[in-house]
Coordinates of all heavy atoms in Angstrom, one line a residue:
A632 N -49.2 15.5 12.9 CA -50.4 15.7 13.7 C -50.5 17.3 13.9 O -51.6 17.8 13.9 CB -50.2 15.0 15.0
M633 N -49.4 17.9 14.1 CA -49.5 19.4 14.3 C -50.0 20.2 13.1 O -50.7 21.2 13.1 CB -48.2 19.9 14.9 CG -47.8 19.4 16.2 SD -46.4 20.2 16.9 CE -47.1 21.7 17.4
E634 N -49.5 19.6 11.9 CA -50.0 20.2 10.7 C -51.5 20.1 10.5 O -52.2 21.0 10.1 CB -49.2 19.6 9.5 CG -47.7 20.1 9.4 CD -47.0 19.4 8.3 OE1 -47.6 18.6 7.6 OE2 -45.8 19.8 8.0
L635 N -52.0 18.9 10.7 CA -53.4 18.6 10.6 C -54.2 19.5 11.6 O -55.3 20.0 11.3 CB -53.8 17.2 10.9 CG -53.1 16.3 9.8 CD1 -53.5 14.8 10.3 CD2 -53.8 16.5 8.4
A636 N -53.7 19.8 12.8 CA -54.3 20.6 13.8 C -54.3 22.1 13.4 O -55.0 22.9 14.0 CB -53.7 20.4 15.2
G637 N -53.4 22.5 12.6 CA -53.3 23.8 12.0 C -52.5 24.8 12.9 O -52.5 26.0 12.9
G638 N -51.7 24.2 13.9 CA -51.0 25.0 14.9 C -49.6 25.2 14.3 O -49.2 24.7 13.2
E639 N -48.8 25.9 15.1 CA -47.4 26.3 14.7 C -46.5 25.0 15.0 O -46.5 24.6 16.2 CB -46.9 27.5 15.5 CG -45.6 27.9 15.0 CD -45.1 29.2 15.7 OE1 -46.0 29.7 16.4 OE2 -44.0 29.6 15.6
V640 N -45.8 24.6 14.0 CA -44.9 23.4 14.3 C -43.5 23.9 14.8 O -43.0 24.8 14.1 CB -44.7 22.6 12.9 CG1 -43.9 21.4 13.1 CG2 -46.1 22.3 12.4
P641 N -43.1 23.4 15.9 CA -41.7 23.8 16.4 C -40.6 23.5 15.3 O -40.8 22.6 14.6 CB -41.6 23.0 17.7 CG -42.9 22.7 18.0 CD -43.7 22.5 16.8
A642 N -39.5 24.2 15.5 CA -38.5 24.0 14.5 C -37.9 22.6 14.7 O -37.6 22.0 13.7 CB -37.3 25.0 14.7
A643 N -37.7 22.1 16.0 CA -37.2 20.7 16.1 C -38.1 19.6 15.5 O -37.6 18.6 15.1 CB -37.0 20.4 17.6
V644 N -39.4 19.9 15.5 CA -40.3 18.9 14.9 C -40.4 19.1 13.4 O -40.4 18.1 12.6 CB -41.6 19.1 15.5 CG1 -42.6 18.0 14.9 CG2 -41.6 18.7 17.0
S645 N -40.6 20.3 12.9 CA -40.8 20.6 11.5 C -39.6 20.3 10.7 O -39.6 20.2 9.4 CB -41.3 22.1 11.3 OG -40.2 22.9 11.7
G646 N -38.4 20.2 11.3 CA -37.2 20.1 10.5 C -37.1 18.7 9.9 O -36.5 18.4 8.9
G647 N -37.8 17.6 10.5 CA -37.9 16.3 9.9 C -36.5 15.6 9.9 O -36.0 15.2 10.9
D648 N -35.8 15.7 8.8 CA -34.5 15.0 8.6 C -33.4 15.8 9.0 O -32.2 15.4 9.0 CB -34.3 14.7 7.1 CG -35.3 13.7 6.6 OD1 -35.9 12.9 7.5 OD2 -35.6 13.6 5.5
T649 N -33.6 17.1 9.5 CA -32.5 18.0 9.9 C -31.9 17.5 11.2 O -30.7 17.6 11.4 CB -33.0 19.3 10.0 OG1 -34.0 19.4 11.1 CG2 -33.5 19.9 8.7
G650 N -32.7 17.0 12.1 CA -32.2 16.4 13.4 C -31.4 17.5 14.2 O -31.7 18.7 14.1
A651 N -30.5 17.0 15.0 CA -29.7 17.8 15.8 C -28.7 18.7 15.0 O -28.1 19.7 15.4 CB -28.9 17.0 16.8
D652 N -28.4 18.2 13.7 CA -27.4 18.9 12.9 C -28.0 19.9 12.0 O -27.4 20.5 11.1 CB -26.6 17.9 12.0 CG -25.9 16.9 12.8 OD1 -25.5 17.4 14.0 OD2 -25.7 15.8 12.4
A653 N -29.3 20.2 12.1 CA -30.0 21.2 11.2 C -29.4 22.6 11.5 O -29.1 23.0 12.7 CB -31.5 21.2 11.6
T654 N -29.3 23.3 10.4 CA -28.7 24.7 10.5 C -29.8 25.7 11.0 O -31.0 25.3 11.0 CB -28.2 25.1 9.2 OG1 -29.2 25.2 8.3 CG2 -27.1 24.2 8.7
D655 N -29.3 26.9 11.3 CA -30.3 27.9 11.8 C -31.2 28.3 10.7 O -32.3 28.6 10.9 CB -29.5 29.2 12.4 CG -28.7 28.7 13.6 OD1 -29.1 27.7 14.3 OD2 -27.7 29.4 13.9
D656 N -30.7 28.3 9.4 CA -31.5 28.8 8.3 C -32.5 27.8 8.1 O -33.8 28.2 7.7 CB -30.7 28.9 7.0 CG -29.6 30.0 7.1 OD1 -29.9 31.0 7.9 OD2 -28.6 30.0 6.4
E657 N -32.3 26.5 8.1 CA -33.3 25.4 8.0 C -34.4 25.6 9.0 O -35.6 25.5 8.7 CB -32.7 24.1 7.9 CG -31.8 23.8 6.7 CD -31.1 22.5 6.8 OE1 -31.1 21.9 8.0 OE2 -30.5 22.0 5.8
K658 N -33.9 25.8 10.2 CA -35.0 25.9 11.4 C -35.8 27.2 11.1 O -37.0 27.2 11.4 CB -34.3 26.0 12.6 CG -33.6 24.7 13.1 CD -32.9 24.8 14.4 CE -32.3 23.5 14.9 NZ -31.6 23.6 16.2
A659 N -35.2 28.2 10.8 CA -35.9 29.5 10.5 C -36.9 29.4 9.3 O -38.1 29.8 9.4 CB -35.0 30.6 10.2
K660 N -36.5 28.6 8.3 CA -37.4 28.4 7.2 C -38.6 27.5 7.6 O -39.8 27.8 7.2 CB -36.7 27.7 6.0 CG -35.8 28.6 5.3 CD -35.0 27.9 4.2 CE -34.0 28.8 3.5 NZ -33.2 28.0 2.4
A661 N -38.3 26.5 8.4 CA -39.4 25.7 8.9 C -40.4 26.5 9.7 O -41.6 26.3 9.6 CB -38.8 24.5 9.6
K662 N -39.8 27.2 10.6 CA -40.7 28.1 11.5 C -41.5 29.0 10.7 O -42.7 29.2 11.0 CB -39.8 28.7 12.5 CG -40.6 29.4 13.7 CD -39.6 30.0 14.7 CE -40.5 30.6 15.9 NZ -39.6 31.1 16.9
A663 N -40.9 29.7 9.7 CA -41.6 30.6 8.9 C -42.7 30.0 8.1 O -43.9 30.5 8.0 CB -40.7 31.4 7.9
A664 N -42.4 28.7 7.6 CA -43.5 28.0 6.9 C -44.7 27.7 7.7 O -45.8 27.8 7.4 CB -42.9 26.7 6.3
A665 N -44.3 27.2 9.0 CA -45.4 26.9 10.0 C -46.2 28.1 10.3 O -47.5 28.1 10.4 CB -44.8 26.3 11.2
A666 N -45.5 29.2 10.5 CA -46.3 30.5 10.8 C -47.2 30.9 9.6 O -48.3 31.3 9.8 CB -45.3 31.7 11.0
A667 N -46.7 30.8 8.4 CA -47.5 31.1 7.3 C -48.8 30.2 7.1 O -49.8 30.7 6.8 CB -46.7 30.9 6.0
K668 N -48.6 28.9 7.4 CA -49.7 28.0 7.4 C -50.7 28.5 8.5 O -51.9 28.4 8.2 CB -49.3 26.6 7.7 CG -48.5 25.9 6.5 CD -48.2 24.5 6.8 CE -47.4 23.8 5.6 NZ -46.9 22.5 5.9
A669 N -50.3 28.8 9.6 CA -51.1 29.2 10.7 C -51.9 30.5 10.3 O -53.1 30.6 10.6 CB -50.4 29.4 12.0
K670 N -51.2 31.5 9.7 CA -51.9 32.6 9.3 C -52.9 32.4 8.2 O -54.0 32.9 8.2 CB -50.8 33.6 8.8 CG -50.0 34.3 9.8 CD -49.0 35.3 9.3 CE -48.2 36.0 10.4 NZ -47.2 37.0 9.7
A671 N -52.6 31.5 7.3 CA -53.5 31.1 6.2 C -54.8 30.5 6.8 O -55.9 30.8 6.4 CB -52.9 30.2 5.2

Side-chain angles (χ1 to χ4, degrees):
M633 295 189 74
E634 287 178 355
L635 292 175
E639 183 176 355
V640 183
V644 177
S645 62
D648 296 335
T649 59
D652 297 332
T654 62
D655 294 338
D656 292 339
E657 292 174 346
K658 291 181 179 180
K660 288 179 181 178
K662 190 172 182 179
K668 288 182 181 179
K670 287 182 181 180

